[in-house]
Amino acid sequence: GEDVEQSLFLSVREGDSSVINCTYTDSSSTYLYWYKQEPGAGLQLLTYIFSNMDMKQDQRLTVLLNKKDKHLSLRIADTQTGDSAIYFCAERGTGGFKTIFGAGTRLFVKA
Amino acid sequence: NAGVTQTPKFRVLKTGQSMTLLCAQDMNHEYMYWYRQDPGMGLRLIHYSVGEGTTAKGEVPDGYNVSRLKKQNFLLGLESAAPSQTSVYFCASRTASGVSYEQYFGPGTRLTVT
């Protein structure tokens, strides 16, 4: 079945780059997403990549997609304390109605 | 434009009690979803709806019922609450078409069942 896996924790120093990794199982996924959840709030879409792309850059964010290995990564340059949050990797599920979410990676940024 | 709102924000129930969580969206979205979020398990889909009057089961539907009588509202019911239903519940909505199929989330309801 469809599954999305990601590590649960990542700790970085302020100013360093953060790289959050994710693997997924559905090779037919057309959209892959990164959502951000701040404490006490719902998820918000951070960025997404279409499956025919291998890279997308948006200011401090870089998304890399390796379709062969079904691997997605999110790089945050110059990580700030305000980036501390849970980051969810997700794929658009087969059939299009559902989105399959990973367990979320909690990013700690140390000052 | 309030987006997705959820009522209530917090609730404590005793085992066996019932309650209804209300989700409302003002974006005219066709699809609506109910998820639960538990530590280390991410978001799990409980039920979803692709339009007014329609509902479907998600990954973890047991113990929950839903209704979508109006396009803008999606209700989640717990008929007989159990401690295993202690969780944070999120509602989300999205359009049937679009550029990214992004889901918009409410702020969540924290439910504790004792």
Side-chain angles (χ1 to χ4, degrees):
Chain A
E2 301 157 317
D3 195 20
V4 176
E5 293 194 355
Q6 52 185 129
S7 54
L8 294 183
F9 299 100
L10 176 65
S11 180
V12 300
R13 290 188 185 279
E14 191 174 23
D16 286 351
S17 291
S18 309
V19 179
I20 303 172
N21 295 299
C22 165
T23 56
Y24 59 97
T25 57
D26 186 358
S27 57
S28 65
S29 287
T30 52
Y31 288 87
L32 294 136
Y33 307 91
W34 286 104
Y35 281 81
K36 178 181 180 182
Q37 183 184 30
E38 300 196 357
L43 281 68
Q44 273 194 304
L45 183 66
L46 195 59
T47 187
Y48 68 95
I49 188 166
F50 192 57
S51 59
N52 67 355
M53 300 168 67
D54 52 19
M55 186 179 96
K56 181 179 181 182
Q57 188 142 7
D58 183 2
Q59 299 184 328
R60 292 190 298 122
L61 305 178
T62 303
V63 178
L64 296 178
L65 174 60
N66 181 329
K67 282 197 72 176
K68 175 175 166 290
D69 294 337
K70 296 180 208 161
H71 183 267
L72 185 73
S73 68
L74 173 69
R75 179 177 179 269
I76 305 173
D78 187 26
T79 311
Q80 302 298 305
T81 54
D83 295 322
S84 293
I86 302 176
Y87 291 82
F88 289 88
C89 175
E91 62 173 347
R92 186 173 176 224
T94 304
F97 300 126
K98 295 184 267 186
T99 300
I100 313 301
F101 290 88
T105 298
R106 187 178 291 272
L107 175 65
F108 295 95
V109 182
K110 296 176 284 188
Chain B
N1 191 339
V4 180
T5 57
Q6 293 183 232
T7 310
K9 288 187 168 44
F10 303 93
R11 187 72 187 267
V12 179
L13 287 180
K14 293 188 189 304
T15 298
Q17 287 185 319
S18 63
M19 79 163 293
T20 299
L21 283 68
L22 171 64
C23 175
Q25 52 95 4
D26 61 2
M27 297 173 283
N28 203 35
H29 286 168
E30 292 83 3
Y31 296 176
M32 296 187 75
Y33 306 84
W34 276 108
Y35 296 92
R36 58 177 289 171
Q37 182 180 26
D38 302 291
M41 302 190 76
L43 289 179
R44 290 184 292 170
L45 183 64
I46 305 171
H47 286 281
Y48 65 100
S49 167
V50 300
E52 183 178 317
T54 73
T55 63
K57 292 181 180 179
E59 186 186 354
V60 288
D62 293 343
Y64 305 95
N65 57 75
V66 287
S67 65
R68 183 117 181 253
L69 299 178
K70 293 183 180 180
K71 186 177 184 179
Q72 62 268 34
N73 295 337
F74 195 28
L75 278 63
L76 178 71
L78 285 73
E79 291 180 345
S80 178
S84 61
Q85 294 178 303
T86 293
S87 188
V88 181
Y89 292 85
F90 288 99
C91 176
S93 70
R94 73 163 175 90
T95 59
S97 59
V99 174
S100 68
Y101 304 95
E102 171 186 0
Q103 291 192 13
Y104 293 81
F105 283 81
T109 295
R110 186 173 293 274
L111 175 66
T112 302
V113 183
T114 61

